[in-house]
Amino acid sequence: MADIIAKLREDGIQKRVIQEGRGELPDFQDGTKATFHYRTLHSDEEGTVLDDSRVRGKPMELIIGKKFKLPVWETIVCTMREGEIAQFCCDVKHVVLYPLVAKSLRNIAAGKDPLEGQRHCCGIAQMHEHNSLGHADLDALQQSPRPLIFDIEMLKVESPGTYQQDPWAMTDEEKAKAVPLIHQEGNRLYREGRVKEAAAKYYDAIACLKNLQMKEQPGSPDWVQLDEQITPLLLNYCQCKLVAQEYYEVLDHCSSILSKQRQGLLQAGQGARGRVERPGGPGRLRQGAGAGPRAGAPREPRASGPGGADPAEGRRGQGSLPGDLLPLMGPRTACPASPAWPPAAAAPAPAPPCFSVYKVRIYRSLGLPG
């Protein structure tokens, strides 16, 4: 142990053991999973606390050899045994990227995208790109880097192959292979009524795809393909949130999807009422059913059943949905009719469309049934 502490001191890391661990020092080969609680403090006299995993209620899980953005954490945990509590004072050179790492960890704790606000560039470029990280304490630390103290309590050390790997710790190839499996697991949980757990699975799958998307040039074919995979997952996530009555998040995500689809159609020159075909369809873009006939094309009569009803109306929404999309919740609600003009003095304002209408519009914009 004395040799380890001396080696750390030469590298600008001061270690102080508070509580001895149990057993032998683990091997910590690549792929080893270390689970620990941490507390980050300023190195000044006040010792102001920046972050505390216990307050968030979830310990940190670190996979050795995965090139974590804060390499010093790998360095210090590899000197610890299970049950050990130690304090590490690290020089500035080891903690320059801590503000960015802390922001991602705070986003995860708040249920947000850990990559929110980032773009396709290295960590140093990220720091210069944004004037603010959204947290005053992290902004101050980013502008004036200083040594930091980490209080670490090692809870558990697991050898490679003895645990289920978290999505964020996977390689790009592992993430691409895991997304369909996570998607199917989310669908299974939803069918069993375990909506909260299903939402967590969809969130993990979306996070995998967003991480892969970060490494592609926006607008490139690979970027667009990943974005198309995110959409059905995001709709399923919204369905779970709808069941949980978290309406603001549902409307926010669905509005962004509708806006993105509309923008893509306008850029393609099809107009706002065109329709996007699913991959494998007759074409990437074609004239939508609601956009009217093409110029010069004869108008075909619309088939109708008894009483003038559209026979296709009863078939919509039936059958399985491609892409493992969840079905609409409850019966479809028609869009409200436009009020007559001039409106009657006592006529009430039309009710806004419910979420089912939003989802129907999204399905139709993607060329999906239902």
Side-chain angles (χ1 to χ4, degrees), residues 183-194 197-198 201-202:
H183 194 165
Q184 293 174 11
E185 179 68 10
N187 290 349
R188 183 186 67 81
L189 292 169
Y190 183 88
R191 288 193 294 269
E192 294 176 357
R194 299 157 65 182
E197 297 174 50
K201 289 295 181 182
Y202 295 135

Side-chain angles (χ1 to χ4, degrees), residues 18-22 35 80-86 152-157:
I18 299 174
Q19 175 181 301
E20 293 287 347
R22 55 184 178 272
T35 304
M80 301 182 68
R81 296 175 290 168
E82 284 192 355
E84 179 179 338
I85 302 176
I152 306 291
E153 179 184 358
M154 183 62 68
L155 302 176
K156 184 168 53 175
V157 178

Side-chain angles (χ1 to χ4, degrees), residues 305-329:
D310 182 0
E313 195 65 28
R315 297 195 300 270
R316 291 176 183 167
Q318 297 180 6
S320 59
L321 299 177
D324 287 328
L325 282 168
L326 299 177
L328 288 173
M329 191 185 77

Side-chain angles (χ1 to χ4, degrees), residues 204-317:
D204 287 342
I206 292 169
C208 286
L209 293 174
K210 280 185 172 289
N211 186 272
L212 294 173
Q213 197 179 39
M214 279 281 297
K215 301 176 183 179
E216 303 294 341
Q217 183 68 26
S220 66
D222 290 337
W223 190 94
V224 171
Q225 183 180 10
L226 290 168
D227 200 56
E228 290 175 350
Q229 294 179 49
I230 290 173
T231 298
L233 285 163
L234 188 56
L235 287 173
N236 287 0
Y237 178 78
C238 288
Q239 183 69 44
C240 295
K241 292 298 180 181
L242 179 65
V243 174
Q245 299 183 353
E246 299 181 21
Y247 303 119
Y248 286 106
E249 188 172 1
V250 172
L251 290 173
D252 183 53
H253 288 311
C254 289
S255 297
S256 67
I257 293 174
L258 287 170
S259 176
K260 181 170 56 179
Q261 293 295 326
R262 181 165 55 250
Q263 182 180 5
L265 292 170
L266 290 172
Q267 290 177 352
Q270 292 294 318
R273 300 183 67 184
R275 188 170 74 184
V276 179
E277 290 289 344
R278 291 288 293 178
R284 287 180 295 176
L285 290 172
R286 72 175 178 85
Q287 186 74 9
R294 293 183 178 87
R299 179 182 295 273
E300 297 181 1
R302 184 186 180 100
S304 61
D310 182 0
E313 195 65 28
R315 297 195 300 270
R316 291 176 183 167

Side-chain angles (χ1 to χ4, degrees), residues 7-312:
K7 187 176 179 180
L8 289 175
R9 187 179 297 112
E10 292 175 2
D11 197 26
I13 303 172
Q14 304 288 335
K15 177 178 179 179
R16 182 170 68 89
V17 178
I18 299 174
Q19 175 181 301
E20 293 287 347
R22 55 184 178 272
E24 298 294 329
L25 183 67
D27 185 23
F28 285 108
Q29 58 181 303
D30 285 353
T32 300
K33 180 179 179 179
T35 304
F36 57 92
H37 274 302
Y38 70 94
R39 189 171 63 152
T40 308
L41 307 92
H42 284 297
S43 57
D44 53 18
E45 295 181 358
E46 291 80 8
T48 307
V49 177
L50 281 170
D51 295 287
D52 191 338
S53 62
R54 290 181 184 83
V55 174
R56 297 169 187 165
K58 185 178 181 181
M60 176 69 184
E61 297 176 348
L62 183 65
I63 309 298
I64 305 301
K66 291 293 185 178
K67 297 182 179 179
F68 187 62
K69 281 189 175 182
L70 200 63
V72 70
W73 273 11
E74 286 197 24
T75 301
I76 61 180
V77 300
C78 286
T79 69
M80 301 182 68
R81 296 175 290 168
E82 284 192 355
E84 179 179 338
I85 302 176
Q87 186 176 85
F88 300 87
C89 183
C90 304
D91 287 350
V92 174
K93 65 179 182 180
H94 294 296
V95 296
V96 172
L97 292 179
Y98 181 79
L100 281 176
V101 174
K103 177 187 177 182
S104 295
L105 294 176
R106 293 180 185 185
N107 282 347
I108 292 173
K112 299 179 181 179
D113 181 3
L115 302 177
E116 183 180 275
Q118 299 185 22
R119 64 179 182 88
H120 182 66
C121 61
C122 67
I124 296 294
Q126 295 265 9
M127 295 177 65
H128 291 287
E129 176 72 13
H130 304 287
N131 295 324
S132 175
L133 295 173
H135 303 275
D137 53 351
L138 298 182
D139 289 339
L141 184 60
Q142 178 175 279
Q143 295 168 6
S144 303
R146 67 196 70 178
L148 293 176
I149 296 174
F150 300 111
D151 288 343
I152 306 291
E153 179 184 358
M154 183 62 68
L155 302 176
K156 184 168 53 175
V157 178
E158 299 170 271
S159 301
T162 63
Y163 61 89
Q164 184 175 0
Q165 199 168 8
D166 291 330
W168 64 266
M170 299 177 183
T171 63
D172 290 352
E173 184 178 354
E174 290 170 340
K175 288 173 184 172
K177 291 180 179 179
V179 166
L181 301 177
I182 300 174
H183 194 165
Q184 293 174 11
E185 179 68 10
N187 290 349
R188 183 186 67 81
L189 292 169
Y190 183 88
R191 288 193 294 269
E192 294 176 357
R194 299 157 65 182
V195 177
K196 185 176 181 180
E197 297 174 50
K201 289 295 181 182
Y202 295 135
Y203 179 88
D204 287 342
I206 292 169
C208 286
L209 293 174
K210 280 185 172 289
N211 186 272
L212 294 173
Q213 197 179 39
M214 279 281 297
K215 301 176 183 179
E216 303 294 341
Q217 183 68 26
S220 66
D222 290 337
W223 190 94
V224 171
Q225 183 180 10
L226 290 168
D227 200 56
E228 290 175 350
Q229 294 179 49
I230 290 173
T231 298
L233 285 163
L234 188 56
L235 287 173
N236 287 0
Y237 178 78
C238 288
Q239 183 69 44
C240 295
K241 292 298 180 181
L242 179 65
V243 174
Q245 299 183 353
E246 299 181 21
Y247 303 119
Y248 286 106
E249 188 172 1
V250 172
L251 290 173
D252 183 53
H253 288 311
C254 289
S255 297
S256 67
I257 293 174
L258 287 170
S259 176
K260 181 170 56 179
Q261 293 295 326
R262 181 165 55 250
Q263 182 180 5
L265 292 170
L266 290 172
Q267 290 177 352
Q270 292 294 318
R273 300 183 67 184
R275 188 170 74 184
V276 179
E277 290 289 344
R278 291 288 293 178
R284 287 180 295 176
L285 290 172
R286 72 175 178 85
Q287 186 74 9
R294 293 183 178 87
R299 179 182 295 273
E300 297 181 1
R302 184 186 180 100
S304 61
D310 182 0

